[in-house]
Amino acid sequence: MSEAVARGLEGVNVTATKLCRIDGLKGELIYSGYNIYDLAEKSTFEEVAFLLWNLRLPSKTELAALEKELRAERPLSDLNERVLREIVGQIRPMRALEIAVIIAGALDSKSSDLTNVQLKTTAALLTARMPTVLATYHRLRQGLDPIAPRDDLGHSANFLWMLTGREPNALESRVFDVAMILHAEHEMNASTFSALVTASTLSDMYSATASAIGTLKGPLHGGANEAVYKTVEAIGVEANIPTHVEGMLGRGERVMGIGHRVYKTTDPRAIILEKLGHQLAETSPDRKYFDLSLKLRDYLARKLEGKPLYPNVDFFSASVYKMLGIPSDLYTPIFAMSRITGWTAHMLEQYADNRLVRPNALYEGADNRAYVPVEKR
Ligand code: ACO
């Protein structure tokens, strides 16, 4: 392809943002001025959501108000639950999320109100609703009744409760909440870009979110966490690692959860998730996949030495979620359930200073062809 084409838009600044800065060489990730290590240690997902939507941390009163708003928006609409009951056996969970977002948009008479205040209300609604969609989907597909959200639990603990029917302990809640914080925002990735393209046409936040969910689904992006799980599952035991990895690389396949367009060192989110994994593993009956992931990581470090290929966020999220008892096909939807905050925050920036995204394509096709009627071809 011509060098005049920025393939994959690599290295191209498509917009300016106050939301997130990444230094891929140093392995730094900053949300609106706050280092991800600090946020992972000290904040909550709700606080990070406020930060992304307002570019500052909330006061105590503001945080309580947002938590209340999120709790109020948790229940699914009757229509959404009816549709899920009807088709749960025929769709994968990312599709369930897409459908839920479209239904929420269809039922919102203010969906085309693009004022900042209304957009923030929509962002909170989408953030609150997604966990209920996924938990309801998971319960229904097992032939179980959905579990109603609980007002006395925070965003993350409530999701685990609705999903499993068991109240998570303090460590499980905290680990999941940190995983949510880590996935909330990541500058200009593929799904965020597709959300911005849709928003730039002044289409609404629901449609832009549906675009982003469709983009996140792919295995080169958010779909990688489920793919990591499948890799580790296929490897099965430590002794199989060399043969399995050699086979994959020999066939020109990529090892999922490894490599990143921006990070040329270990993704800081993988470092934090590994630490959380060790904490969970101390008491988890289900630590096998985490232990195998550690061995796989060590083997790959030796095998890929000298190449800028290191674990990314998806590498350890799979085995951490496994220890939390979450089924693997929900890993990517859970990514969306967190990233909705970053997507909507970028949309707020886009709507506030919009310019239609309309790039060019370099034409490389034929010219000056004479049209021949179909019966003469
Ligand atoms: N396993 C093996 N080799 C790899 C991998 C991998 N995971 N990733 C990149 N490479 C190799 C490529 O084959 C290529 O080798 P070559 O130069 O000999 O042809 C070289 O590294 C550079 O690869 P590119 O495709 O140019 O790198 P790019 O920046 O496009 O890749 C990507 C980034 C898509 C994430 C890639 O590393 C990948 O496919 N990783 C696996 C999927 C994954 O984990 N995705 C999640 C990313 S994080 C996220 O989206 C949340």
Side-chain angles (χ1 to χ4, degrees):
M1 187 162 316
S2 160
E3 283 182 8
V5 173
R7 286 191 79 213
L9 296 183
E10 193 165 352
V12 175
N13 291 327
V14 293
T15 189
T17 182
K18 292 188 167 67
L19 287 167
C20 181
R21 182 173 68 71
I22 304 169
D23 186 324
L25 293 178
K26 290 190 192 150
E28 265 180 15
L29 171 58
I30 312 288
Y31 291 176
S32 197
Y34 295 96
N35 195 295
I36 195 67
Y37 286 104
D38 252 7
L39 293 172
E41 194 187 327
K42 297 168 189 159
S43 73
T44 62
F45 177 69
E46 288 90 328
E47 210 179 10
V48 167
F50 186 100
L51 170 67
L52 294 173
W53 293 332
N54 299 283
L55 300 174
R56 63 178 176 82
L57 288 172
S59 68
K60 226 172 166 178
T61 323
E62 287 169 328
L63 181 59
L66 177 61
E67 287 168 347
K68 189 173 170 206
E69 184 180 5
L70 291 171
R71 279 197 297 272
E73 291 294 357
R74 283 174 184 169
L76 279 198
S77 62
D78 289 346
L79 177 62
N80 199 154
E81 189 170 324
R82 280 208 310 278
V83 170
L84 273 184
R85 281 185 188 276
E86 192 69 32
I87 57 173
V88 72
Q90 298 154 48
I91 53 168
R92 303 244 311 142
M94 283 298 267
R95 190 75 69 208
L97 264 191
E98 280 175 313
I99 291 170
V101 168
I102 298 299
I103 291 175
L107 294 179
D108 183 353
S109 59
K110 293 193 178 153
S111 65
S112 53
D113 180 345
L114 302 183
T115 55
N116 190 266
V117 173
Q118 187 57 38
L119 288 167
K120 282 184 186 168
T121 303
T122 307
L125 181 151
L126 286 165
T127 303
R129 212 54 76 72
M130 283 190 177
T132 320
V133 174
L134 290 179
T136 304
Y137 167 89
H138 182 55
R139 301 284 301 178
L140 290 176
R141 72 175 169 177
Q142 296 174 93
L144 300 169
D145 278 332
I147 295 176
R150 259 177 60 183
D151 277 357
D152 60 327
L153 295 176
H155 190 80
S156 296
N158 175 60
F159 170 67
L160 294 175
W161 159 252
M162 292 190 298
L163 189 74
T164 63
R166 183 178 70 78
E167 193 175 324
N169 64 33
L171 177 65
E172 291 167 330
S173 298
R174 181 62 195 156
V175 166
F176 191 72
D177 204 51
V178 175
M180 292 284 286
I181 292 170
L182 298 179
H183 288 84
E185 164 54 14
H186 211 235
E187 201 227 38
M188 195 44 60
N189 50 85
S191 54
T192 301
F193 183 56
S194 68
L196 289 196
V197 172
T198 305
S200 84
T201 68
L202 297 185
S203 182
D204 60 70
M205 205 171 232
Y206 296 95
S207 295
T209 300
S211 302
I213 293 173
T215 307
L216 186 73
K217 185 148 60 75
L220 294 189
H221 192 10
N225 53 14
E226 188 182 353
V228 172
Y229 177 81
K230 286 187 177 145
T231 303
V232 176
E233 191 178 39
I235 290 173
V237 291
E238 186 186 348
N240 293 341
I241 291 177
T243 328
H244 195 94
V245 171
E246 300 302 331
M248 285 183 87
L249 296 178
R251 292 189 296 275
E253 291 169 16
R254 289 168 182 227
V255 186
M256 293 291 131
I258 298 291
H260 199 276
R261 176 62 63 79
V262 180
Y263 293 115
K264 300 304 166 198
T265 180
T266 303
D267 181 335
R269 300 168 298 176
I271 294 173
I272 297 168
L273 280 168
E274 180 187 342
K275 205 169 139 197
L276 297 175
H278 282 290
Q279 289 173 22
L280 273 182
E282 275 178 28
T283 52
S284 172
D286 223 356
R287 60 176 296 163
K288 179 185 160 199
Y289 285 72
F290 178 64
D291 291 335
L292 203 49
S293 299
L294 292 170
K295 301 285 181 202
L296 177 62
R297 187 268 316 270
D298 293 345
Y299 181 82
L300 288 167
R302 293 192 296 276
K303 178 78 197 159
L304 301 170
E305 199 182 347
K307 296 187 177 173
L309 294 172
Y310 302 88
N312 61 48
V313 67
D314 293 316
F315 192 81
F316 285 113
S317 61
S319 50
V320 164
Y321 293 157
K322 172 81 179 158
M323 286 190 280
L324 290 170
I326 300 173
S328 61
D329 65 350
L330 295 188
Y331 298 173
T332 309
I334 285 171
F335 193 152
M337 197 176 103
S338 161
R339 184 58 60 82
I340 181 63
T341 51
W343 289 334
T344 46
H346 279 277
M347 288 181 221
L348 291 176
E349 287 191 332
Q350 182 73 33
Y351 287 124
D353 185 19
N354 189 56
R355 177 138 178 100
L356 175 72
V357 177
R358 201 299 186 192
N360 298 331
L362 190 71
Y363 183 63
E364 289 183 333
D367 263 325
N368 299 322
R369 298 167 112 179
Y371 181 83
V372 179
V374 70
E375 57 279 7
K376 295 201 174 159
R377 271 177 239 154

